[in-house]
C-alpha cells in the first residue's frame, strides 16, 4: 500500500478558489464603463443644474430666491459633488468592490441632491 497515490506533495502550495482573485469578464468591464458614464452624468446634473432648480422661484421678481445657506450650497455643489462623483466613477473599476462602490457612491450623490434642494429652499 503506497501512500503516494492519495497524499498530496507537500512542496506544492494549496490553492483554493477562494485564494484566486476574482477578475471581471469583458462584459463586466463594459457594464462598469456604462455605469461610470451614468454616474458622471448624474453628478453633472446634481452639481451643475440642481442648484438652479433649488433656487428657482416663480413668484420672485428675478426668478431666483435668496437662500440663507448659499455658501454651503455652493461648497456642496462645486466641491463635494464632483469629488464624490469622480471617486465613484474611479472606484467602479476596482476588481472586487467596484460595483458596491458604484452603488454606494450613486446613493451619496442622490443624498447630496437632497441636501442641495433643502439648502436652496430655506429662505433668507
Amino acid at each position: 500500500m503506497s501512500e503516494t497515490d492519495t497524499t498530496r506533495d507537500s512542496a506544492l502550495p494549496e490553492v483554493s478558489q477562494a485564494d484566486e482573485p476574482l477578475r471581471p469578464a469583458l462584459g463586466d468591464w463594459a457594464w462598469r464603463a456604462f455605469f461610470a458614464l451614468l454616474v458622471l452624468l448624474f453628478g453633472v446634473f446634481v452639481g451643475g443644474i440642481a442648484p438652479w432648480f433649488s433656487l428657482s422661484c416663480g413668484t420672485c421678481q428675478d426668478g431666483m430666491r435668496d437662500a440663507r445657506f448659499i455658501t454651503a450650497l455652493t461648497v456642496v455643489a462645486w466641491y463635494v459633488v464632483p469629488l464624490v462623483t469622480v471617486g465613484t466613477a474611479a472606484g467602479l473599476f476596482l476588481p472586487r468592490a467596484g460595483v458596491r462602490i458604484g452603488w454606494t457612491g450613486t446613493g451619496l450623490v442622490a443624498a447630496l441632491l437632497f441636501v442641495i434642494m433643502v439648502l436652496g429652499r430655506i429662505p433668507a
Side-chain angles (χ1 to χ4, degrees):
M1 297 219 177
S2 174
E3 290 187 27
T4 58
D5 294 337
T6 58
T7 61
R8 201 160 194 263
D9 188 13
S10 62
L12 295 175
E14 296 245 355
V15 177
S16 66
Q17 289 183 353
D19 293 338
E20 295 177 11
L22 298 173
R23 298 199 51 140
L26 183 61
D28 291 333
W29 288 113
W31 162 249
R32 289 176 186 209
F34 178 70
F35 191 27
L37 180 66
L38 289 178
V39 167
L40 289 173
L41 289 175
F42 186 48
V44 167
F45 171 76
V46 171
I49 299 171
W52 294 103
F53 286 141
S54 70
L55 294 173
S56 66
C57 175
T59 59
C60 299
Q61 183 177 4
D62 60 352
M64 301 296 278
R65 84 175 77 238
D66 292 328
R68 178 175 297 198
F69 301 109
I70 192 72
T71 305
L73 185 133
T74 305
V75 167
V76 170
W78 285 6
Y79 299 110
V80 178
V81 170
L83 183 67
V84 171
T85 302
V86 171
T88 300
L92 271 166
F93 295 103
L94 292 174
R96 286 193 178 225
V99 176
R100 186 178 325 134
I101 290 171
W103 286 114
T104 304
T106 304
L108 283 173
V109 174
L112 290 172
L113 172 64
F114 179 74
V115 168
I116 287 173
M117 296 308 264
V118 168
L119 288 174
R121 293 293 175 181
I122 297 174

